[in-house]
Amino acid sequence: MTQNTSRFTQNLGHWQGTAEVYDGHGRFLGNGSDSRQVQQLDNGRVRIDVSFVGPFKHAGHYTIAEAAGSRLYQGPANVGYAETLSSGLVDANAYWPALGLSQRFFLMVLPDGDTQLSLALMTRGEKLLYVVVGQNERIRTEDEGRETDAPSSVLRPPSFLSGTSYDLAHDPAAGRGEILLH
């Protein structure tokens, strides 16, 4: 395995989080719930099972092959490529056929190894339709050898900010104390 593959396989497991979704003009559309299961396959590839529910929704899976600082997203849910810019930072360009959307995607794994921050620009042709700002946490249980406040084998639900897109559409911070998009 290459060094980059080793770094990526450290991200195996179940990731769950929330996202703020904005339209192409920066108006808040609503929160999203993101769930990903990352598994190592026998042939050195990684399989991602993804489920996103928010102002748009999608569920599916794709595989990633990785070599020498780049990643190839091999479908079926996501087709494209990515570059590893540094340890824990990926810049991707992909197409999501079921949504008909192209994606420019930045993913950063924080030094704790259990937190991911992401920014996705979702376009149809040249038109920006969605900006998705997300934070995912690796869900660990006591069965995995790490102490948690949750009972063994219980997953924590993602946290949401209550509100409606109607009420928060003109609030640049979407009801939060700070603007995550910036």
Side-chain angles (χ1 to χ4, degrees):
M1 250 191 229
T2 68
Q3 181 181 9
N4 291 327
T5 302
S6 297
R7 174 70 181 147
F8 187 70
T9 59
Q10 292 174 4
N11 297 318
L12 298 176
H14 184 80
W15 295 82
Q16 198 167 6
T18 62
E20 295 174 1
V21 182
Y22 300 85
D23 70 11
H25 302 288
R27 288 182 296 247
F28 178 70
L29 296 176
N31 288 122
S33 175
D34 189 12
S35 179
R36 296 172 188 267
Q37 182 68 37
V38 183
Q39 306 170 59
Q40 183 72 49
L41 299 177
D42 292 339
N43 57 8
R45 294 183 307 159
V46 174
R47 177 181 166 132
I48 312 288
D49 290 280
V50 61
S51 174
F52 184 87
V53 177
F56 62 90
K57 61 184 179 181
H58 180 69
H61 77 275
Y62 56 95
T63 59
I64 300 174
E66 188 167 18
S70 63
R71 297 177 179 179
L72 182 60
Y73 295 81
Q74 299 178 319
N78 178 3
V79 179
Y81 65 93
E83 289 183 77
T84 302
L85 300 178
S86 67
S87 179
L89 181 61
V90 175
D91 174 15
N93 291 280
Y95 180 67
W96 295 79
L99 295 172
L101 297 175
S102 295
Q103 177 189 50
R104 179 75 192 263
F105 184 66
F106 298 96
L107 174 68
M108 177 187 294
V109 179
L110 297 185
D112 70 6
D114 288 333
T115 305
Q116 296 177 342
L117 303 178
S118 61
L119 171 66
L121 305 175
M122 309 294 287
T123 61
R124 182 161 290 139
E126 296 297 316
K127 183 174 180 165
L128 178 63
L129 295 182
Y130 300 106
V131 176
V132 183
V133 181
Q135 179 173 339
N136 284 22
E137 304 290 331
R138 185 193 326 254
I139 305 301
R140 295 191 187 256
T141 65
E142 289 178 10
D143 294 342
E144 294 175 284
R146 178 176 265 194
E147 292 182 32
T148 65
D149 294 332
S152 179
S153 300
V154 174
L155 300 179
R156 296 172 296 169
S159 60
F160 281 104
L161 177 71
S162 296
T164 69
S165 58
Y166 177 82
D167 296 326
L168 300 174
H170 300 290
D171 178 356
R176 298 188 189 277
E178 58 190 347
I179 300 174
L180 296 182
L181 183 58
H182 292 173

